[in-house]
Amino acid sequence: MANTELYRRQNPDSPAMHSSRLDLTRLGGSEIQVWEGTGVFSVCRSLFLRSRLENWIKASRSAGKPPLLKELYGFEEETHLDDSMLLLQQGDDFIYVHQGTNSVQEYGKVFRGVLLSSIPGTMSVSFRRHYNAAAADMRPRYMQFRTDFSSRHVRWERIVLPLVSDERQTTKFLLIYSVPLDDKLEILQAAFDRSAVGMVAAAKTIGEEKTLEDAAILLANNRARTMLGMEDDILPVSTVRDLRAWVQNVRKWEQIGEPKTTLGKTILGFRDKEKAKNITVVIEPIEHFVIFHLLD
């Protein structure tokens, strides 16, 4: 790979080029692994992140210096800005001057205009250390890390690309792209599908006026789909409100007795006349989610 070889030639004396370093500071259950140099290409799973690093190498090739901000924000990168974050170095801290819409959606948080040090939690301490190292030697970093700040994703991989404002390198920026290494929903789906109990998961909707009826249906395992008469490739309900309507109007289950509450769980009884059996539905809130257990 020509560009990879270029990066090797540009950093011939660095013993850390092919190595990884583990940030052993476990903060709130989080850890960060960091790679530099061509070692990135052997561990980075995302073709998208590899392509961003390749583009950084191309931009720095002709002058033999770190790319200028205007070069990486030029023609090719503009199509990817929705996936990026741009941090401006201020002393030993960084401020988020840009966060793309896709990044906001993936993280579930808006960081624009925020100092890294002001973000709650202790992961920012480790990120600041690694970001300052990248800004000091002006070499990209590749990271893998676990975090609990995203409600959807467990692990991430990230490429950190240092940029400068002008030839004198008076102002430094970090252009950051992140891709989830795994997805909580995929993990939940795998666990759900192996369960002999019918299970439906929903995410609570934020807002004081929102109720359980507004919770968005995320998953329904194979057993639940069979009990509810839903096709394998289509989830015909979007909210708990839709699920209730499906149970009453499509499956025509009749509720038996009044709901019962015990240990934070709500228990409902239904009668499936078509199959001549009773169904017990246990509704269990877990943090921002609600799990429906269907038992026959």
Side-chain angles (χ1 to χ4, degrees):
M1 183 181 296
N3 291 331
T4 303
E5 184 62 32
L6 167 69
Y7 195 21
R8 186 180 293 112
R9 291 199 305 271
Q10 287 181 341
N11 301 272
D13 301 322
S14 174
M17 281 177 56
H18 302 279
S19 64
S20 67
R21 296 198 308 272
L22 176 62
D23 182 347
L24 294 177
T25 306
R26 296 176 182 268
L27 305 169
S30 303
E31 64 181 27
I32 304 175
Q33 286 181 285
V34 182
W35 285 261
E36 304 173 34
T38 53
V40 171
F41 292 98
S42 65
V43 293
C44 181
R45 300 186 190 181
S46 168
L47 293 177
F48 171 69
L49 295 186
R50 291 188 199 180
S51 70
R52 296 306 92 215
L53 177 56
E54 289 280 357
N55 202 47
W56 183 94
I57 294 171
K58 289 178 183 178
S60 63
R61 176 168 49 191
S62 58
K65 297 179 181 179
L68 298 175
L69 177 64
K70 64 181 181 181
E71 293 173 345
L72 264 290
Y73 257 45
F75 171 75
E76 185 173 349
E77 287 297 319
E78 283 185 356
T79 59
H80 302 294
L81 293 184
D82 282 347
D83 300 295
S84 70
M85 295 189 293
L86 184 68
L87 278 64
L88 169 64
Q89 187 180 33
Q90 294 193 333
D92 65 350
D93 209 344
F94 295 85
I95 188 170
Y96 290 81
V97 295
H98 166 79
Q99 183 184 15
T101 54
N102 293 342
S103 174
V104 173
Q105 182 176 2
E106 289 287 355
Y107 285 114
K109 294 181 181 294
V110 178
F111 299 118
R112 301 186 194 104
V114 174
L115 278 172
L116 178 57
S117 62
S118 70
I119 296 176
T122 47
M123 268 199 87
S124 61
V125 176
S126 288
F127 280 128
R128 281 176 63 192
R129 181 166 62 253
H130 295 305
Y131 290 171
N132 275 299
D137 61 23
M138 294 307 291
R139 296 177 55 200
R141 298 295 195 274
Y142 167 76
M143 302 178 175
Q144 291 185 6
F145 56 94
R146 286 204 326 264
T147 181
D148 56 4
F149 62 72
S150 171
S151 62
R152 180 183 178 93
H153 302 297
V154 180
R155 297 188 304 146
W156 296 78
E157 56 180 343
R158 169 176 293 177
I159 197 75
V160 180
L161 305 173
L163 307 172
V164 293
S165 59
D166 52 44
E167 297 292 346
R168 293 179 296 173
Q169 302 186 20
T170 54
T171 305
K172 296 181 179 181
F173 296 85
L174 298 178
L175 183 61
I176 295 175
Y177 295 98
S178 304
V179 174
L181 274 166
D182 51 28
D183 192 311
K184 285 183 179 179
L185 295 184
E186 293 177 358
I187 296 171
L188 283 172
Q189 186 73 69
F192 276 21
D193 285 343
R194 288 172 173 78
S195 175
V197 175
M199 301 176 73
V200 178
K204 297 178 183 177
T205 303
I206 299 174
E208 295 182 359
E209 74 284 1
K210 302 298 183 179
T211 66
L212 178 60
E213 298 288 303
D214 300 301
I217 301 296
L218 301 176
L219 306 169
N221 73 348
N222 293 331
R223 180 57 181 153
R225 288 174 181 271
T226 298
M227 295 175 69
L228 293 166
M230 297 177 178
E231 298 180 8
D232 292 339
D233 56 344
I234 298 176
L235 192 59
V237 293
S238 299
T239 65
V240 170
R241 182 179 292 102
D242 298 336
L243 179 61
R244 292 188 189 278
W246 181 275
V247 166
Q248 295 171 359
N249 303 326
V250 178
R251 297 303 296 152
K252 299 188 182 302
W253 292 358
E254 293 184 357
Q255 184 171 330
I256 303 173
E258 296 297 322
K260 299 178 182 178
T261 301
T262 177
L263 298 176
K265 302 176 183 179
T266 300
I267 303 173
L268 299 172
F270 292 92
R271 178 67 178 173
D272 183 352
K273 290 186 176 181
E274 179 183 338
K275 296 184 178 181
K277 62 172 61 176
N278 291 343
I279 308 292
T280 299
V281 177
V282 180
I283 306 174
E284 180 181 11
I286 303 177
E287 294 184 352
H288 302 296
F289 301 93
V290 180
I291 309 297
F292 295 81
H293 304 266
L294 282 64
L295 311 168
D296 59 6

